[in-house]
Amino acid sequence: MVMAVLKVATMMGSGGGWAGDDRGGAGGVKATVVRYIPIYHLQQQRLISHDFLVHNQTIFCAMKTSLGSLLKILPPVDFCCVYGSSLHPNNNDKSSMEDYILGVSNPQQWHSENLKMNRDHYSSWMVPFGGAKLITKVADQIGVGVHFNPFVSWNNKMYKYGVVHMDDLVHDMLSWERFYLSGRLQKPVRIIVDNMEIENVNLVNLRAASSAALLLLPSTFTERELYAKICSLSYMGDLRMLFAEDKNKVKKIVEGQFELFRNMYKPLVEEYATKQLLRLSSSGDNQMNISQDCSLSATSSIVSSLPESVRSQMGMGLAETEAGQTRNKITIGSREQAATCMQKVLRRRVMISSARQAVAGFITVGAVHGFRYLGKKMTKAWKSSA
């Protein structure tokens, strides 16, 4: 049986955190329960379908290639994926960095081991002033739980890798609380290591992303416009988009990785079509033209697929029955209202997370690497607006 590690936590007192995690807030006593939730439970809850699961497992397995060579010089990880321009089929720029997300069960221990193996990957000032403990503390308390090492040179290539606690990775995929790595995983990635079935858990994230995009799209749109809207979700409110990102970034990502987007989302689109929420027709350029049901009942169905924390901030959380049990009952005033509320929620989360991660990045990588990275981003932004 395929299993996925999900954290189901009950908090007591004013503390926060996840089971097995000592990073909760001070002043409260935590009581948490950890469960192993099988993937078939997600299927029973209609969060993912069996066909969608099998299709994506086949696609992702076929996508694995020689990417991931950096792992040879790093401590073991529980999860690893490669993302960014290195997945572009026509990317011949050998100077571009290969980007990694690494999930580990104990970041402080992992960084401690990596410092022994690859001390030069880290900012020189952090090592003597606190080492692995300081690195994880900055990531958790200033950033959004991820520590990045950019400009790592190995085997005649440049790399950037971000290290995150597995608990934080799963939590963000399911809750969109920070909407940082969850947004990254809504775009094509190439999974290299997956010891915790994160690939399967991410299918819940993909469903939520497609629902959010549909809520923001008009009654008729193209397949390409759907993927562009999904891609843009995690950039809404991103401070880097104001001055340090390519203005055409979303368009370039979708055009360069269109088939990868299709492999990820077409099963969901077809599933929505079987539920009469979407109507599909082919166009001359080998794309789908899509029309959607914009009624309040259809909108309620779409909103119900969003993470509970998002629905709650939208004022569309769970309703309580007379028996005292909760059930999914979404009351929608209008589709426009729901779309506007959701957009505000996501924009604020992205803005806060991008600001926090930017500050943490400058602290951890140091001024030289920080300005070097910012300079590369700003150069792309200027070229795109020229």
Side-chain angles (χ1 to χ4, degrees):
M1 181 184 296
V2 178
M3 302 291 290
V5 181
L6 307 186
K7 296 291 186 178
V8 180
T10 302
M11 302 300 176
M12 298 177 61
S14 61
W18 292 89
D21 186 353
D22 61 356
R23 295 167 295 156
V29 179
K30 298 181 296 183
T32 57
V33 177
V34 180
R35 300 178 191 163
Y36 289 82
I37 301 182
I39 287 299
Y40 76 79
H41 176 77
L42 298 180
Q43 293 173 238
Q44 288 177 335
Q45 296 300 313
R46 297 181 180 179
L47 293 176
I48 57 175
S49 69
H50 174 73
D51 290 342
F52 185 38
L53 178 64
V54 172
H55 176 89
N56 277 273
Q57 283 178 325
T58 303
I59 291 298
F60 283 122
C61 287
M63 286 168 60
K64 291 180 181 178
T65 66
S66 59
L67 289 171
S69 59
L70 183 67
L71 294 180
K72 297 176 182 178
I73 63 169
L74 299 175
V77 299
D78 294 312
F79 173 79
C80 170
C81 71
V82 179
Y83 67 95
S85 59
S86 56
L87 298 183
H88 195 301
N90 298 318
N91 180 29
N92 298 314
D93 184 5
K94 303 304 180 182
S95 65
S96 61
M97 282 192 290
E98 196 168 285
D99 301 307
Y100 287 66
I101 295 172
L102 307 178
V104 300
S105 58
N106 188 327
Q108 183 172 326
Q109 180 180 333
W110 191 92
H111 286 299
S112 180
E113 295 176 11
N114 197 36
L115 281 167
K116 298 174 184 176
M117 300 168 62
N118 302 291
R119 187 186 180 99
D120 59 320
H121 291 186
Y122 297 85
S123 176
S124 59
W125 78 267
M126 293 197 77
V127 178
F129 282 98
K133 186 175 182 179
L134 178 60
I135 290 167
T136 52
K137 182 172 287 189
V138 170
D140 292 336
Q141 297 183 7
I142 298 178
V144 292
V146 192
H147 171 83
F148 281 98
N149 282 334
F151 300 108
V152 172
S153 179
W154 179 73
N155 202 22
N156 298 317
K157 190 169 180 61
M158 297 295 291
Y159 298 88
K160 179 181 73 175
Y161 61 90
V163 181
V164 62
H165 198 298
M166 290 296 296
D167 294 355
D168 292 338
L169 179 61
V170 170
H171 184 53
D172 196 42
M173 283 193 296
L174 298 180
S175 72
W176 289 9
E177 187 174 296
R178 288 168 169 167
F179 204 43
Y180 190 76
L181 292 181
S182 54
R184 177 59 262 172
L185 290 169
Q186 290 165 4
K187 306 174 188 66
V189 298
R190 196 156 299 181
I191 295 176
I192 309 299
V193 177
D194 192 4
N195 296 335
M196 298 290 195
E197 301 293 347
I198 296 300
E199 174 185 325
N200 294 327
V201 179
N202 192 46
L203 301 183
V204 180
N205 182 33
L206 300 187
R207 176 183 292 279
S210 60
S211 296
L214 289 174
L215 194 58
L216 297 174
L217 285 165
S219 58
T220 59
F221 51 91
T222 66
E223 185 180 3
R224 190 178 299 274
E225 288 171 334
L226 171 62
Y227 303 152
K229 187 61 68 176
I230 291 171
C231 184
S232 71
L233 293 174
S234 59
Y235 294 121
M236 293 190 302
D238 191 331
L239 298 178
R240 297 173 303 172
M241 296 301 291
L242 298 176
F243 63 92
E245 281 289 3
D246 186 341
K247 304 303 180 183
N248 300 314
K249 184 168 186 173
V250 169
K251 181 181 179 181
K252 289 179 178 178
I253 290 174
V254 174
E255 288 183 351
Q257 303 178 23
F258 181 83
E259 289 300 325
L260 299 182
F261 272 100
R262 173 175 280 175
N263 289 336
M264 292 174 70
Y265 287 102
K266 189 177 180 181
L268 270 176
V269 170
E270 293 174 341
E271 184 181 318
Y272 281 133
T274 62
K275 296 178 179 179
Q276 306 301 313
L277 294 174
L278 300 178
R279 291 177 293 278
L280 313 178
S281 61
S282 60
S283 64
D285 56 353
N286 195 31
Q287 284 191 55
M288 290 185 293
N289 288 325
I290 307 171
S291 59
Q292 63 172 323
D293 181 355
C294 293
S295 67
L296 292 183
S297 61
T299 302
S300 296
S301 179
I302 289 173
V303 170
S304 67
S305 293
L306 298 175
E308 193 279 331
S309 69
V310 175
R311 295 198 313 267
S312 179
Q313 278 196 279
M314 292 169 62
M316 301 171 185
L318 297 177
E320 193 169 289
T321 64
E322 292 181 0
Q325 297 180 337
T326 58
R327 60 190 175 94
N328 283 311
K329 183 178 180 181
I330 310 297
T331 303
I332 304 294
S334 71
R335 187 180 182 89
E336 293 74 20
Q337 176 199 22
T340 300
C341 289
M342 183 199 68
Q343 197 167 24
K344 287 181 179 178
V345 171
L346 297 186
R347 188 182 298 276
R348 177 171 175 78
R349 293 188 181 191
V350 173
M351 181 179 66
I352 292 173
S353 292
S354 64
R356 289 181 59 178
Q357 191 60 36
V359 173
F362 268 95
I363 292 174
T364 54
V365 305
V368 175
H369 279 323
F371 282 111
R372 181 183 176 189
Y373 184 73
L374 181 62
K376 287 175 71 70
K377 289 286 187 180
M378 292 182 70
T379 299
K380 288 184 179 180
W382 292 335
K383 286 181 178 179
S384 68
S385 60

